[in-house]
Amino acid sequence: MMESQPAIQIDDLTVAYNYKPVLWDIDVTVPEGVLMAIVGPNGAGKSTLIKAILGIIDPIAGSVRVFGKPYKEQRRLVGYVPQKGSVDWDFPTTALDVVMMGTYGQLGWIKRPGSKQKKSALEALEKVGMLPFKNRQISQLSGGQQQRVFLARALVQDATVYLMDEPFQGVDATTEIAIINILKELRKRGKTVVVVHHDLQTVPEYFDWVTFLNVKKIATGPVKDIFNDDNLTKTYGINYKVAINN
Amino acid sequence: MTNPQIEIQVIAAVVAIACAIPGVFLVLRKMALISDAISHSILPGLVLGFFLTHDLNSPILILLAAITGVITVILVEAIQRTGLVKEDTAIGLVFPALFSIGVILIAKNANDVHLDVDAVLLGELAFAPFDRLLISGIDLGPKSLWIMGVILLITITLVILFFKELKISTFDAGLSASLGISPLVMHYGLMSVSSVTVVGAFDAVGAILVVALMIAPAAAAYLLTSDLKKMLWLAIGFGVFSALLGYWVAHWLDASISGSMTTVLGLVFLFVYLFAPQKGWIAVLYRQKQQRTEVSLLTFLLHLNNHSEENERHINHLQEHINWQRVRSKTVLDLALKNNMITISNEIVSLTTKGKQFTELALEYILTNKDEKIEPMKDDFFLFRG
């Protein structure tokens, strides 16, 4: 029964680089259909958490389940938007081609994308307003446009759960609104979206769930219940009252 | 052309193609130096293989040497993972160590056989046609052609089968891993193919030229295209062209074939570096100059926009008001006129409707950095292409 399972269940997860823990004994449950922000200071392990969920990094302890099963069995249910800075934008390829990469998982090894994959890539580009730029070399796109291309690539994955690593980083206000509208639409369609987020001011406006992270989990739950000065101070170590009241 | 001459050129072309293909992915992965490391550190593998088989063309020897190549990569990564040194330092530590083990092995045990350091470093394509593949007395052609032909065939098959996987694991290892296309498998696959290619090719062209054949064509192709497939084709084209031209240069100069090929490869890259239409040196200089002019144009238009008083817009006063030199003022004025952005009547300059619109759009772009509005202007102005 898929409905009875949480979208993501993280139990006792510990991840270390060179024997130094970056995530320590994390327990987080992401219920199906929420739009969750992961917040925390630099070096809190936010990206690492996402990568551990996706099996990109092997944890030294603990488990991650996606709808009750290990990630490896559920790959097709999960879409991923990596940090924009994690790739080389001078790579010789076009916006359309990057979006097509979102279909590679469904295709499996060796099989080539065909007209069906191209059609869904074009639809995704249209959705993020990037259709006119489909043949543009990716280095010729602005930061916001590159982020939209990444979002389109995740949409093409046609996933049930989306994990996004700072999708608002380096984008202008228009793109930010466009992206958040798409995220909200995903939620409306019953998808689960987990976003590494930096701008604390917009958390209550954009998200309904939040996880506070700083190597350890500080708190996780509905924004209206736990997004308060107490948790912010625990996470960031300084008093955040002023920032939020503004 | 004599038969050996044709054979040498065919071998050179096959080697060039076999090197260009993995070279493209090495360049895109910023791992060009790894090919240099592999080409040197396979030496102990070669020597050990030679002691075992007493045949420089034996598949066992090629396999052993290729394994040494992969071990090089593993060692480099292991040293890098300690976090104490960076990748280039790790490479610099590993391959001289392995290479020197090979040199000592040769000096101690193989002084009397056809395996010397010169041959390893420079190779000798001219001798390739003399080493024939004979099966029950029938001459099937030069051995090195068969070896490189098989390696090339394997490389082409792999690149066609795994093109999509190579592309995604090179561009975005994170997404690749999350989709179940292991970047680690692709990485070691590429390293294995590169190692085998280097081993197969070094006998014909030497360790140094192998590196040139892998990196130079790919680097030149990179400057010319924004399509991975085209980059592969261009790299192959540059490789074959340089190999053949290099052969004839050597023929005319009566010089080393591999030396001439490497020189031609360098010149081809230099030519592309200077003249590539988008990324080339001259194109970049031209773009910067245009951009400077366009900034001046915009400054000029803003000045006109800000001043309704005629004395500020008098053609003879522009120089003192904007504080530009004569030539620059004239260039800017001509550019604005040519684009119908200004009109001049009674020596008074005024913005046209087009000029006003342009100024406002540009101003808004500069203030808000919103890209969408200036999209049509990008085609005409370098300034807005980021």
Side-chain angles (χ1 to χ4, degrees):
Chain A
M1 283 293 287
M2 221 160 97
E3 286 74 16
S4 62
Q5 301 275 8
I8 302 171
Q9 173 87 48
I10 302 166
D11 288 312
D12 310 319
L13 185 79
T14 299
V15 179
Y17 292 128
N18 290 328
Y19 309 106
K20 182 174 174 279
V22 281
L23 285 176
W24 210 320
D25 201 31
I26 305 290
D27 294 291
V28 172
T29 302
V30 184
E32 191 175 1
V34 301
L35 187 45
M36 177 193 273
I38 301 178
V39 297
N42 289 332
K46 304 183 293 291
S47 296
T48 307
L49 182 61
I50 295 235
K51 286 180 183 160
I53 296 171
L54 290 162
I56 300 172
I57 294 173
D58 284 327
I60 57 171
S63 69
V64 174
R65 294 189 163 253
V66 178
F67 290 114
K69 289 183 189 159
Y71 172 74
K72 273 187 183 149
E73 295 168 31
Q74 304 280 51
R75 282 186 205 283
R76 296 214 189 157
L77 297 180
V78 184
Y80 176 36
V81 176
Q83 238 174 63
K84 191 164 72 74
S86 68
V87 305
D88 174 14
W89 290 93
D90 285 323
F91 191 86
T93 189
T94 58
L96 175 61
D97 201 39
V98 170
V99 177
M100 297 269 274
M101 289 179 192
T103 67
Y104 288 6
Q106 301 144 28
L107 285 166
W109 287 79
I110 295 176
K111 260 182 247 146
R112 299 288 190 96
S115 56
K116 187 177 153 233
Q117 282 74 29
K118 190 173 173 184
K119 194 169 153 265
S120 55
L122 289 171
E123 282 167 9
L125 277 169
E126 167 111 73
K127 202 166 237 166
V128 300
M130 287 293 293
L131 198 55
F133 308 98
K134 64 179 192 316
N135 292 323
R136 188 166 289 184
Q137 211 272 313
I138 51 172
S139 65
Q140 304 291 315
L141 300 170
S142 70
Q145 291 173 329
Q146 290 173 343
Q147 202 73 69
R148 286 174 191 229
V149 167
F150 259 19
L151 186 63
R153 186 176 69 174
L155 294 178
V156 159
Q157 288 187 263
D158 195 23
T160 313
V161 180
Y162 288 92
L163 301 173
M164 307 190 180
D165 203 343
E166 300 194 30
F168 300 109
Q169 190 205 30
V171 306
D172 57 47
T174 328
T175 302
E176 179 153 339
I177 293 164
I179 292 176
I180 195 63
N181 284 338
I182 288 169
L183 300 193
K184 284 180 173 167
E185 194 206 309
L186 286 172
R187 177 179 54 189
K188 206 181 284 168
R189 281 166 42 208
K191 315 279 187 185
T192 310
V193 186
V194 178
V195 177
V196 172
H197 195 55
H198 261 300
D199 182 9
L200 293 169
Q201 313 273 348
T202 51
V203 169
E205 183 190 339
Y206 290 173
F207 300 95
D208 50 10
W209 280 65
V210 63
T211 294
F212 290 95
L213 195 70
N214 193 355
V215 184
K216 293 178 177 182
K217 179 199 75 183
I218 312 295
T220 180
V223 169
K224 60 176 166 40
D225 299 338
I226 67 158
F227 194 72
N228 51 40
D229 297 335
D230 186 33
N231 281 327
L232 282 165
T233 309
K234 275 187 199 157
T235 309
Y236 289 87
I238 40 173
N239 198 330
Y240 255 84
K241 228 167 235 165
V242 187
I244 289 310
N245 288 345
N246 285 343
Chain B
M1 271 191 278
T2 62
N3 226 11
Q5 280 184 322
I6 295 172
E7 282 178 355
I8 288 173
Q9 290 178 68
V10 173
I11 295 170
V14 169
V15 170
I17 301 172
C19 288
I21 294 172
V24 163
F25 293 100
L26 291 177
V27 165
L28 288 176
R29 286 164 175 251
K30 303 180 174 54
M31 295 179 65
L33 255 184
I34 274 284
S35 66
D36 194 21
I38 291 175
S39 69
H40 285 77
S41 58
I42 54 172
L43 188 62
L46 273 177
V47 178
L48 287 178
F50 187 73
F51 291 163
L52 283 176
T53 61
H54 293 279
D55 175 6
L56 267 178
N57 293 318
S58 154
I60 296 173
L61 179 141
I62 291 180
L63 197 71
L64 269 176
I67 290 171
T68 328
V70 176
I71 290 174
T72 310
V73 178
I74 294 172
L75 284 176
V76 167
E77 282 164 5
I79 293 178
Q80 210 185 325
R81 251 200 310 276
T82 62
L84 301 173
V85 293
K86 296 259 186 294
E87 189 189 13
D88 53 346
T89 313
I91 290 175
L93 286 170
V94 170
F95 85 80
L98 288 170
F99 185 71
S100 56
I101 292 172
V103 172
I104 291 171
L105 283 175
I106 293 178
K108 284 299 280 181
N109 305 301
N111 264 333
D112 49 340
V113 289
H114 160 64
L115 182 72
D116 57 74
V117 178
D118 278 2
V120 171
L121 282 178
L122 298 171
E124 193 42 271
L125 202 52
F127 296 151
F130 300 123
D131 195 4
R132 316 295 292 184
L133 179 66
L134 297 168
I135 291 179
S136 44
I138 304 162
D139 181 0
L140 293 172
K143 261 189 194 168
S144 52
L145 182 56
W146 279 95
I147 293 169
M148 281 317 294
V150 170
I151 292 173
L152 175 59
L153 211 65
I154 294 171
T155 306
I156 290 176
T157 311
L158 288 174
V159 112
I160 289 175
L161 284 179
F162 298 110
F163 183 72
K164 163 181 120 239
E165 287 78 7
L166 275 166
K167 181 158 74 181
I168 192 171
S169 64
T170 303
F171 174 63
D172 191 341
L175 179 73
S176 184
S178 82
L179 294 177
I181 298 168
S182 164
L184 208 65
V185 169
M186 298 315 296
H187 174 68
Y188 281 106
L190 178 64
M191 288 304 125
S192 306
V193 168
S194 305
S195 297
V196 170
T197 309
V198 168
V199 182
F202 103 102
D203 186 32
V205 296
I208 293 175
L209 183 56
V210 164
V211 178
L213 275 172
M214 281 194 152
I215 304 310
Y222 180 72
L223 296 178
L224 286 172
T225 179
S226 55
D227 178 327
L228 181 54
K229 268 185 201 154
K230 280 186 198 144
M231 185 176 164
L232 277 163
W233 284 114
L234 279 169
I236 289 169
F238 284 138
V240 172
F241 172 80
S242 310
L244 298 186
L245 186 60
Y247 171 77
W248 285 105
V249 169
H251 191 76
W252 290 319
L253 295 176
D254 193 21
S256 146
I257 298 176
S258 47
S260 306
M261 282 186 185
T262 312
T263 309
V264 173
L265 279 168
L267 291 176
V268 165
F269 177 78
L270 182 68
F271 183 82
V272 173
Y273 170 73
L274 289 177
F275 299 107
Q278 300 283 325
K279 300 178 191 165
W281 187 69
I282 290 170
V284 169
L285 271 191
Y286 172 73
R287 204 154 51 225
Q288 282 170 352
K289 186 177 163 285
Q290 282 301 106
Q291 210 157 325
R292 268 201 299 276
T293 314
E294 286 167 13
V295 171
S296 307
L297 171 72
L298 197 58
T299 315
F300 171 58
L301 295 179
L302 280 174
H303 175 80
L304 293 179
N305 202 28
N306 284 341
H307 293 280
S308 51
E309 357 27 319
E310 291 201 342
N311 68 333
E312 284 274 353
R313 293 189 279 122
H314 194 278
I315 202 157
N316 289 331
H317 293 166
L318 287 173
Q319 264 168 266
E320 43 186 287
H321 281 300
I322 320 186
N323 199 11
W324 283 344
Q325 293 185 341
R326 193 169 187 86
V327 183
R328 192 155 163 213
S329 311
K330 184 158 172 21
T331 320
V332 169
L333 205 65
D334 289 347
L335 186 68
L337 265 179
K338 204 178 81 192
N339 283 293
N340 293 324
M341 288 175 172
I342 52 167
T343 52
I344 303 173
S345 61
N346 294 330
E347 308 215 300
I348 301 297
V349 190
S350 310
L351 282 178
T352 61
T353 321
K354 190 187 166 196
K356 252 199 168 63
Q357 263 173 359
F358 175 85
T359 314
E360 275 155 18
L361 277 176
L363 202 59
E364 203 181 316
Y365 168 69
I366 289 165
L367 293 176
T368 63
N369 221 355
K370 273 185 201 164
D371 245 38
E372 292 73 19
K373 303 213 165 133
I374 51 138
E375 215 35 72
M377 281 152 62
K378 280 192 177 176
D379 294 333
D380 298 326
F381 292 93
F382 290 106
L383 189 56
F384 304 116
R385 286 183 208 170

